[in-house]
Amino acid sequence: MAPKVPSVGGVPLSGARAGVALVVVGVVLFTASLVVGAALAPNVGAADDGETRQTLVGSHGGGPGLHEKGSVYLLDGRETAWRAGDTDSYFDVTMLDNGSVMAGFMQGGYEDCGPYESPCTHTGFRIIDPNADSDADPEIEYEYSFPVRTEKNSEVHDVELLDSGEFLVTDMEHERIFTVEDGEITWQWNASSYYDAPEDPTRTDWLHINDVDVIGEDRYLVSVRNANQLVIVERGEGVVEVINEGDGTAAGSPTPRGDPTLLRQQHNPQWLGDGRVLVADSHNDRIVELQRTDGGEWEVAWEIYAAEGVTFNWPRDADRLPNGNTLITDSLNKRLVEVNRSGATVWSYGTPEVPYEAERLPAGETVGGVSYAEDGDGEATTIGEGRDIPVLSFLLVIVQTGVQTPFWFTEVHVAVTLVSLVCVLVGLGLVVRERFRRR
């Protein structure tokens, strides 16, 4: 039996013509999905209730891996008052009492590389003078940095200035927190004292320690991202409490893992008070307030999955503000959103690049804050719905990390893109095969 000849509307097509038709279908399908997505997209990043706000932003950047065009900038209302850039990435930002800004950073091109080949990447923290009262550009007043093996998953994401004059720093490269003064390390806690460590943590993204906050005298709240856990470290004692302790390990890993439905690769927790913590639950695409039960377990008291009609996409910071609202950094949607307890958006701003963290001035991120659990009826409040489509959601994060697609580009567009790509590849294959057959 002769093979069936492809046809369109009953008209037979040659292999080449069928291939061209498939390519056209693929291109039209992909283009149509983008046009429809943009046309139906809700208006985000434009909410404004007329109040005057100052918001300090640390921008991760853009491009593949998000390590391009990093900056620190101050929003005065919706206008940019000043910006410090020309760095691959900036992360956590804090305004100091004298008006300078302290920020974690990552930058390539250094010659001082220690055990690594030159040029190399450095990470650490900087203190930036914004020169806000003059026409001069912001300038770096001080830098503490050290070389790392790679720019990926080795960055210093957070630094805090202690009353002692020491700087408290997170270190992904060696998976530790440490204090430094006058360029010398004065104390450190190594995660290997609590977790089972690989032979060389600089060669793998083992724990990804990405945040530390002072929550009491010599007590630090540490975000251990890849373990889905927050730990409280007491200076001189080590780990004294684990939030989301879990009951097992990840497959093939000696590292204990917390329950991924409670926390999943989180960022920037804020200690609201004893037994309450607000967390950017990044890979669950939500902001969650957790509370400790009488039995010592941690449970959800309040959670929000969306604002302005758009589901969060890799949010990496949430601060409970003095006015009782919550300021959210929605990284891959490239926006900042302030919501009230009911989830209504009172202010939002679309950022030019992927933001890492934002602080509302003058208070910044506080230790202690309004808890939504306190006035509740004991039942968890859930606002919006999560969106986790197997395979497609994972692919979407990969695409958005590398390309920074618009916020309305969803799993549906990923699926259409895959179908369009198959059409184009099969079509090109038919065209090529037909040409070889005719030779």
Side-chain angles (χ1 to χ4, degrees), residues 38 72 128 144 193 249 274 281 283 308 327 352 371 402:
V72 176
I128 301 168
Y144 173 86
S193 66
T249 61
D274 188 33
D281 189 12
H283 277 271
E308 302 180 290
L327 178 64
S371 170

Side-chain angles (χ1 to χ4, degrees), residues 155-229:
E155 312 99 293
V156 165
H157 273 195
D158 193 18
V159 56
E160 304 291 331
L161 178 59
L162 305 183
D163 291 340
S164 64
E166 299 168 298
F167 294 95
L168 177 63
V169 184
T170 62
D171 177 7
M172 278 185 213
E173 178 83 343
H174 304 96
E175 300 294 12
R176 61 178 177 167
I177 60 172
F178 66 90
T179 56
V180 61
E181 187 172 18
D182 297 327
E184 299 294 330
I185 294 176
T186 54
W187 171 84
Q188 63 182 344
W189 171 78
N190 291 289
S192 58
S193 66
Y194 183 79
Y195 296 95
D196 293 329
E199 184 175 345
D200 184 355
T202 70
R203 293 184 179 274
T204 180
D205 185 23
W206 169 39
L207 291 176
H208 204 98
I209 292 176
N210 61 17
D211 191 69
V212 60
D213 288 326
V214 181
I215 61 172
E217 185 175 357
D218 293 335
R219 288 173 67 88
Y220 310 132
L221 178 66
V222 183
S223 172
V224 188
R225 192 197 77 169
N226 288 355
N228 306 326
Q229 293 176 336

Side-chain angles (χ1 to χ4, degrees), residues 70 135 142 154 172 179 196 216 271 340 388:
D135 293 331
Y142 176 78
S154 293
M172 278 185 213
T179 56
D196 293 329
W271 190 252
N340 62 22
D388 187 6

Side-chain angles (χ1 to χ4, degrees), residues 307-324:
E308 302 180 290
V310 175
T311 304
F312 296 134
N313 194 351
W314 203 38
R316 288 188 294 168
D317 187 35
D319 294 345
R320 187 63 47 76
L321 304 177
N323 65 5

Side-chain angles (χ1 to χ4, degrees), residues 134-433:
S134 71
D135 293 331
D137 292 331
E139 60 184 28
I140 298 169
E141 294 182 314
Y142 176 78
E143 175 179 314
Y144 173 86
S145 67
F146 52 91
V148 291
R149 184 179 298 279
T150 172
E151 68 176 20
K152 185 178 181 181
N153 300 318
S154 293
E155 312 99 293
V156 165
H157 273 195
D158 193 18
V159 56
E160 304 291 331
L161 178 59
L162 305 183
D163 291 340
S164 64
E166 299 168 298
F167 294 95
L168 177 63
V169 184
T170 62
D171 177 7
M172 278 185 213
E173 178 83 343
H174 304 96
E175 300 294 12
R176 61 178 177 167
I177 60 172
F178 66 90
T179 56
V180 61
E181 187 172 18
D182 297 327
E184 299 294 330
I185 294 176
T186 54
W187 171 84
Q188 63 182 344
W189 171 78
N190 291 289
S192 58
S193 66
Y194 183 79
Y195 296 95
D196 293 329
E199 184 175 345
D200 184 355
T202 70
R203 293 184 179 274
T204 180
D205 185 23
W206 169 39
L207 291 176
H208 204 98
I209 292 176
N210 61 17
D211 191 69
V212 60
D213 288 326
V214 181
I215 61 172
E217 185 175 357
D218 293 335
R219 288 173 67 88
Y220 310 132
L221 178 66
V222 183
S223 172
V224 188
R225 192 197 77 169
N226 288 355
N228 306 326
Q229 293 176 336
L230 311 176
V231 297
I232 297 177
V233 174
E234 190 168 311
R235 204 158 171 167
E237 296 292 333
V239 175
V240 296
E241 184 173 2
V242 178
I243 299 174
N244 198 25
E245 190 164 13
D247 57 4
T249 61
S253 170
T255 301
R257 303 281 170 157
D259 178 2
T261 65
L262 188 68
L263 289 176
R264 185 177 172 211
Q265 295 199 345
Q266 72 289 331
H267 290 76
N268 286 314
Q270 179 190 10
W271 190 252
L272 298 179
D274 188 33
R276 301 186 306 276
V277 64
L278 181 70
V279 191
D281 189 12
S282 305
H283 277 271
N284 283 325
D285 291 326
R286 67 174 178 174
I287 305 302
V288 61
E289 181 180 331
L290 302 177
Q291 63 178 346
R292 189 195 296 118
T293 66
D294 293 338
E297 300 297 319
W298 289 81
E299 65 181 13
V300 173
W302 179 86
E303 59 184 342
I304 182 170
Y305 287 90
E308 302 180 290
V310 175
T311 304
F312 296 134
N313 194 351
W314 203 38
R316 288 188 294 168
D317 187 35
D319 294 345
R320 187 63 47 76
L321 304 177
N323 65 5
N325 292 340
T326 302
L327 178 64
I328 298 166
T329 302
D330 189 14
S331 287
L332 287 185
N333 283 331
K334 295 198 291 189
R335 62 173 176 167
L336 310 176
V337 183
E338 182 182 338
V339 300
N340 62 22
R341 178 176 177 164
S342 68
T345 300
V346 299
W347 178 86
S348 63
Y349 177 82
T351 63
E353 303 293 342
V354 174
Y356 178 78
E357 193 239 12
E359 293 202 349
R360 179 60 49 71
L361 301 181
E365 181 183 329
T366 61
V367 176
V370 175
S371 170
Y372 292 167
E374 290 177 339
D375 299 326
D377 56 7
E379 297 294 326
T381 299
T382 298
I383 300 168
E385 296 181 357
R387 185 183 66 199
D388 187 6
I389 303 174
V391 180
L392 293 179
S393 292
F394 175 73
L395 291 176
L396 178 63
V397 171
I398 292 176
V399 170
Q400 291 185 316
T401 301
V403 183
Q404 289 89 69
T405 57
F407 71 89
W408 46 261
F409 191 93
T410 67
E411 287 88 349
V412 172
H413 294 93
V414 173
V416 171
T417 300
L418 292 176
V419 172
S420 300
L421 184 61
V422 169
C423 289
V424 169
L425 292 178
V426 172
L428 290 176
L430 290 174
V431 171
V432 171
R433 187 181 69 174

